[in-house]
Amino acid sequence: MKIMIVDDSLFAQQYTKKQIQRKYPEADYILASSGEAAYNTFLSETPDIMITDLLMPGITGQKLISMIRAIDTTCRIVVLSCDIQKAVKDEIAQLHVQCFINKPLSDESMDKLQEVIG
């Protein structure tokens, strides 16, 4: 299983990876620091799951998800973001993501993430 973590904060990337790795040590982890890098890496790596932040310079998480959905409808996408505005959540829901989790990833939200990962 390949899990891609997209966040412009290197600390957030590593923290998220460490949290998920506790439950899924056998997974392959792919890290990307921008929407552009994530999209290009997605094309070559085809991850099973993508966990992305929304607020990033350049290609935002919303735009990245739209770009991914245009080429792949099966990748499970999880949004992990501090942006908890209802309008943002509604917009994200229309992009057919599996779930929206508030940052930072906690033990409680890991349960929600495990439902997506399986």
Side-chain angles (χ1 to χ4, degrees):
M1 166 175 47
K2 290 183 187 178
I3 300 174
M4 176 183 273
I5 300 169
V6 185
D7 201 307
D8 59 322
S9 164
L10 297 179
F11 175 80
Q13 278 181 22
Q14 291 300 322
Y15 179 80
T16 301
K17 178 183 173 185
K18 186 176 178 182
Q19 291 293 94
I20 298 170
Q21 229 170 5
R22 293 186 318 167
K23 299 278 185 182
Y24 302 95
E26 74 289 348
D28 291 324
Y29 292 89
I30 305 159
L31 304 178
S33 298
S34 70
E36 293 91 344
Y39 184 74
N40 291 329
T41 303
F42 188 93
L43 294 175
S44 62
E45 295 288 334
T46 58
D48 304 294
I49 299 159
M50 182 175 75
I51 301 166
T52 186
D53 189 15
L54 295 177
L55 303 173
M56 297 182 289
I59 295 177
T60 64
Q62 290 96 318
K63 179 66 177 169
L64 174 63
I65 295 166
S66 294
M67 292 166 66
I68 298 298
R69 284 292 178 237
I71 59 169
D72 187 331
T73 58
T74 62
C75 178
R76 291 168 278 171
I77 299 176
V78 174
V79 172
L80 180 62
S81 181
C82 294
D83 193 343
I84 57 172
Q85 300 173 55
K86 183 182 180 333
V88 172
K89 285 187 176 182
D90 290 346
E91 177 186 354
I92 295 304
Q94 292 177 3
L95 297 173
H96 306 288
V97 300
Q98 275 55 48
C99 68
F100 186 105
I101 298 174
N102 295 331
K103 272 186 177 178
L105 193 57
S106 65
D107 289 339
E108 285 179 25
S109 54
M110 267 305 293
D111 292 341
K112 197 173 184 181
L113 185 59
Q114 280 184 266
E115 290 176 20
V116 173
I117 295 175

